[in-house]
Amino acid sequence: MAEVLVYVDHADGAVRKPTLELLTLARRIGEPVAVFLGAGAEDAAPTLAEYGATKVLAADEPEFVEYLVVPKVDALHAAFAHVSPAAVLVPSSVEGKEIAGRLAVRTGSGLITDAVDVEAGEDGPVATQSVFAGSYTTKSRITKGTPVITVKPNSAAPAAAPAAGSVERLAVTVAEASKGTEVVSRTARESTGRPELTEAAVVVAGGRGVNGDFSAVEALADSLGAAVGASRAAVDAGWYPHSNQVGQTGKSVSPQLYIAAGISGAIQHRAGMQTSRTIVAVNKDEEAPIFDLVDYGVVGDLFDVVPQLTAELDAR
Ligand code: FAD
């Protein structure tokens, strides 16, 4: 069976959920081979094996530090040459998309970004994308070279399928040209204790309707263990950081549950959230376009509805 390279996204060795989703999807098209860069491959290997990695190709070079993608592309390229895979799957993060794009150029392959599903096809893997702000769903296939596909978080439910997952060290030569960038400083963002927006299973988002006060949105998010999102109107008003913006010029999210409070549902906002599994909106205007999209809609003032919902959840 053909091998499929899966680029492992991890935080200091802890494998992130999108990687488990990629392993699950990779099994549909071949035998997943995980590529783990940085320290901690041996500790991560059992998790990767549990989700179907038949092998873990590992490399740890000093250049594999956060934000420097080119050395990581050197390593992924080395793994590519080692395995000759049928496809390469990479998480659709900012870093993942840059890595995937550079790998596709180096290998003379085609690239599909932001897929929401990947299936086996007669002539190679077929990727599903939601395009033009979600107006169309397309299915595409790479016709030249080895498909390189980035997949959005929450596109598949991780399913275990234990495999061997033994660690094999990969010989990587980081090209001199790849060493031309260094991290000169880092500023840690204050942690909110909430999950990362693009990975969260539940997102509670606020828009202009919150009128500068995100406390009700945050309280509901905390009751649900959710991440907080914001519309661009709320971000532009300075009520919430840009890193929390959902939409065309913000982040794309695909959680199990998306709750929009005081958000009208402009097409640019929908572009970032309409692939969410279940969508709930609270809006005082029953004509708001968001109601065309929702599974459940509540017409009402968010400052009445959202705290009631939080209280109900907290009482359980
Ligand atoms: P509004 O459209 O003003 O809607 C506010 C809603 O809150 C209304 O429906 C109102 O009925 C409701 N409301 C008010 N008070 C209450 C209350 N007390 N209780 C309940 N409901 C209440 N937008 C994004 O979000 N993300 C993007 O990435 C993005 N990118 C863009 C890119 C481009 C190139 C352009 C041109 C625009 C982009 N926008 C983006 C902006 C987008 O067009 C909208 O302007 C924006 O999404 C509106 O945000 P909103 O829904 O919060 O505000």
Side-chain angles (χ1 to χ4, degrees):
M1 201 181 197
E3 292 177 307
V4 178
L5 282 188
V6 170
Y7 181 81
V8 176
D9 182 20
H10 64 92
D12 295 327
V15 178
R16 290 198 164 114
K17 186 170 153 264
T19 301
L20 308 182
E21 296 168 14
L22 291 196
L23 289 167
T24 305
L25 290 173
R27 297 203 309 265
R28 295 180 180 173
I29 43 182
E31 285 187 350
V33 173
V35 180
F36 186 104
L37 306 182
E42 278 73 16
D43 290 342
T47 306
L48 298 168
E50 190 186 338
Y51 286 87
T54 53
K55 196 162 38 179
V56 180
L57 295 176
D60 188 8
E61 301 293 327
E63 288 83 6
F64 297 160
V65 292
E66 241 180 318
Y67 310 124
L68 297 188
V69 296
V70 182
K72 294 175 187 167
V73 179
D74 290 338
L76 189 55
H77 195 192
F80 186 97
H82 185 68
V83 166
S84 300
V88 183
L89 302 187
V90 182
S92 257
S93 59
V94 172
E95 181 184 82
K97 282 194 264 191
E98 183 172 352
I99 289 173
R102 287 175 181 268
L103 181 74
V105 170
R106 286 196 194 183
T107 55
S109 304
L111 170 71
I112 295 174
T113 57
D114 287 336
V116 293
D117 198 13
V118 182
E119 297 156 299
E122 266 181 33
D123 301 310
V126 176
T128 305
Q129 290 162 295
S130 174
V131 300
F132 293 134
S135 311
Y136 295 93
T137 296
T138 63
K139 286 186 184 287
S140 333
R141 180 171 63 75
I142 301 285
T143 55
K144 178 172 176 280
T146 302
V148 181
I149 303 170
T150 78
V151 182
K152 278 183 163 186
N154 290 313
S155 293
S166 54
V167 177
E168 188 181 316
R169 287 279 146 193
L170 189 65
V172 179
T173 310
V174 176
E176 276 308 308
S178 305
K179 298 179 180 172
T181 314
E182 63 172 332
V183 175
V184 290
S185 72
R186 255 168 229 262
T187 308
R189 205 174 47 207
E190 222 173 281
S191 169
T192 58
R194 298 189 184 104
E196 156 62 28
L197 182 58
T198 54
E199 291 174 20
V202 182
V203 173
V204 183
R208 204 192 307 267
V210 307
N211 201 17
D213 180 3
F214 263 77
S215 58
V217 168
E218 288 182 334
L220 177 58
D222 291 339
S223 285
L224 290 164
V228 173
S231 72
R232 179 159 158 181
V235 169
D236 284 352
W239 302 337
Y240 231 70
H242 179 255
S243 53
N244 293 69
Q245 184 181 314
V246 172
Q248 189 180 317
T249 44
K251 289 184 175 159
S252 279
V253 299
S254 243
Q256 302 293 323
L257 173 63
Y258 187 90
I259 303 177
I263 293 178
S264 61
I267 190 159
Q268 296 90 350
H269 186 80
R270 295 160 71 138
M273 45 66 75
Q274 64 191 347
T275 51
S276 305
R277 217 49 60 88
T278 301
I279 299 173
V280 177
V282 181
N283 197 304
K284 64 183 184 184
D285 174 10
E286 64 179 29
E287 303 287 333
I290 191 99
F291 286 129
D292 297 339
L293 188 68
V294 298
D295 298 283
Y296 302 97
V298 183
V299 178
D301 189 319
L302 74 92
F303 293 104
D304 292 333
V305 176
V306 173
Q308 284 183 52
L309 190 51
T310 308
E312 180 65 33
L313 286 164
D314 289 348
R316 288 189 182 178

